[in-house]
Amino acid sequence: GYYADRWKNLLISMSSPTKAYFDTSDQEPFCMYNYLLDIITWNKSIRRGFIKIKITDYAGNTVESEMNREASTFQQYKRVKILTGFYQDLDKISKISLTFSTKTLIGPKHKLRILQMRLKSLNNPER
């Protein structure tokens, strides 16, 4: 790791390409792999809640995203972009699953109907 006030001098002086993780986690190796979820829903009524993402590679390895602390609002045909992070990066993804939760114990359970979804790696934008 780098001290917050000295990271720039250390990285600039290195001649080889270097990855720096400024969105860190509390678990080793302390790096987060960030993804942008771009989603359009077609529910007629507004839905408000949280999305958790699981990605699986062809070898069967699965990682689960960290839950966003703020609920997202989903309206019919409106694009919502959610930044999410994983503790581990998977190269070739074979499966993506989403779980929608309102985090309420009382009241009806709601479904989130997805019209379009794109998951883009911010660490590796070519994927």
Side-chain angles (χ1 to χ4, degrees), residues 27-48:
Q27 298 177 9
E28 277 196 50
F30 303 109
C31 55
M32 290 292 288
Y33 297 93
N34 297 302
Y35 284 75
L36 183 66
L37 176 65
D38 186 346
I39 190 168
I40 299 173
T41 59
W42 59 275
N43 289 72
K44 288 185 179 179
S45 58
I46 294 173
R47 299 282 187 255
R48 188 162 167 75

Side-chain angles (χ1 to χ4, degrees), residues 17-116:
T18 305
K19 278 189 180 180
Y21 297 96
F22 296 104
D23 293 328
T24 60
S25 70
D26 58 353
Q27 298 177 9
E28 277 196 50
F30 303 109
C31 55
M32 290 292 288
Y33 297 93
N34 297 302
Y35 284 75
L36 183 66
L37 176 65
D38 186 346
I39 190 168
I40 299 173
T41 59
W42 59 275
N43 289 72
K44 288 185 179 179
S45 58
I46 294 173
R47 299 282 187 255
R48 188 162 167 75
F50 304 88
I51 289 186
K52 189 169 270 204
I53 306 167
K54 283 185 185 178
I55 54 177
T56 305
D57 66 8
Y58 285 97
N61 301 311
T62 300
V63 292
E64 193 170 294
S65 67
E66 285 301 296
M67 183 70 84
N68 296 329
R69 287 174 176 71
E70 292 184 25
S72 297
T73 302
F74 302 94
Q75 299 176 25
Q76 188 176 35
Y77 307 129
K78 299 286 183 187
R79 173 172 273 132
V80 176
K81 293 183 178 183
I82 301 170
L83 180 65
T84 189
F86 297 88
Y87 289 124
Q88 182 183 1
D89 193 25
L90 299 181
D91 187 21
K92 295 183 181 183
I93 297 172
S94 66
K95 180 179 169 184
I96 301 170
S97 63
L98 303 177
T99 304
F100 175 70
S101 171
T102 58
K103 285 196 167 182
T104 58
L105 300 175
I106 301 171
K109 291 187 177 187
H110 295 287
K111 292 182 179 180
L112 188 65
R113 301 181 193 288
I114 297 172
L115 181 66
Q116 181 181 13

Side-chain angles (χ1 to χ4, degrees), residues 3-17:
Y3 290 100
D5 61 345
R6 291 189 247 158
W7 70 268
K8 201 173 199 177
N9 294 334
L10 291 169
L11 292 180
I12 290 173
S13 65
M14 295 180 182
S15 59
S16 62

